[in-house]
Amino acid sequence: MFKLINFIGFQASWWLLILYQNQYWWVVVALIIAHILFVGESLTEFAVVLVTALAGIITDSLLALFGVYIFSGSGQFLPIPFWLILLWFAFASTLRHSLAYLSKHYRLAAGLGAVGGTLSYVAGMKLQAVTFGLAFYPTVLLLACIWACLMPVIFLLSQRVEAVAKRVNGSDTFQTTKEKL
């Protein structure tokens, strides 16, 4: 049941952020915080979400810097808008839950990444959340290649972060060191 709730939460976040961009950011932040707090391994989940979201944020920032993506609004601190940063955090919250099956099937993750990741950006473009800086088909091909590589890498990164976080945190709860003793 949690996997379904996780999937629905991500879909709600995607639609809110793509359609309204920064208008309902607080709803998405609340969903992400609730997700991390209600997951059994909160510290591990937080570490996985943070590190994998950063990987996606860096990837999209590079694509924006190279002119593949163009976002409306100037004067941003990063090359990508705040709503896209939140979208990466929302997506990262699915990796150990509604997308967990893909973590052991890298070829399937690559294929679904190539199709699903690319279609997500195409939908974002059609809904006017992003503009492609290159022609449509070269952009789609580039995104398919990037997402085919990115999905397995994100799952590998997620697994590594999870292993390290569990070793470091021991019981993996929000306990202080004093409470653990």
Side-chain angles (χ1 to χ4, degrees):
M1 184 63 152
F2 183 76
K3 288 182 181 187
L4 178 61
I5 293 168
N6 178 258
F7 176 77
I8 291 169
F10 172 71
Q11 291 301 314
S13 296
W14 191 92
W15 283 102
L16 282 173
L17 292 169
I18 294 298
L19 293 177
Y20 302 104
Q21 297 175 4
N22 291 327
Q23 189 173 353
Y24 293 106
W25 66 267
W26 55 273
V27 174
V28 176
V29 168
L31 286 171
I32 293 167
I33 290 171
H35 167 81
I36 290 172
L37 291 177
F38 290 113
V39 140
E41 301 171 329
S42 296
L43 289 176
T44 298
E45 186 69 13
F46 176 74
V48 168
V49 167
L50 178 64
V51 172
T52 54
L54 286 174
I57 291 164
I58 290 168
T59 301
D60 275 351
S61 293
L62 289 171
L63 289 168
L65 285 172
F66 286 112
V68 177
Y69 301 144
I70 300 168
F71 297 98
S72 62
S74 58
Q76 300 176 92
F77 176 70
L78 292 174
I80 61 173
F82 179 64
W83 63 264
L84 186 54
I85 292 169
L86 288 180
L87 188 55
W88 271 106
F89 277 91
F91 176 73
S93 72
T94 66
L95 297 177
R96 297 177 64 220
H97 306 288
S98 56
L99 294 180
Y101 178 80
L102 298 176
S103 69
K104 295 182 178 91
H105 301 91
Y106 296 125
R107 288 184 186 141
L108 182 58
L112 289 177
V115 174
T118 302
L119 288 178
S120 180
Y121 284 86
V122 169
M125 186 262 309
K126 294 286 186 184
L127 294 169
Q128 300 177 346
V130 63
T131 303
F132 292 163
L134 307 173
F136 180 78
Y137 291 111
T139 301
V140 167
L141 181 60
L142 177 64
L143 290 177
C145 292
I146 288 171
W147 273 93
C149 297
L150 187 60
M151 280 298 284
V153 167
I154 283 178
F155 278 110
L156 281 169
L157 183 60
S158 170
Q159 291 165 357
R160 298 277 162 81
V161 170
E162 181 177 356
V164 169
K166 284 184 176 183
R167 276 197 311 266
V168 169
N169 296 321
S171 66
D172 198 25
T173 61
F174 279 112
Q175 294 177 337
T176 63
T177 305
K178 184 177 179 183
E179 290 173 323
K180 288 182 180 180
L181 297 175

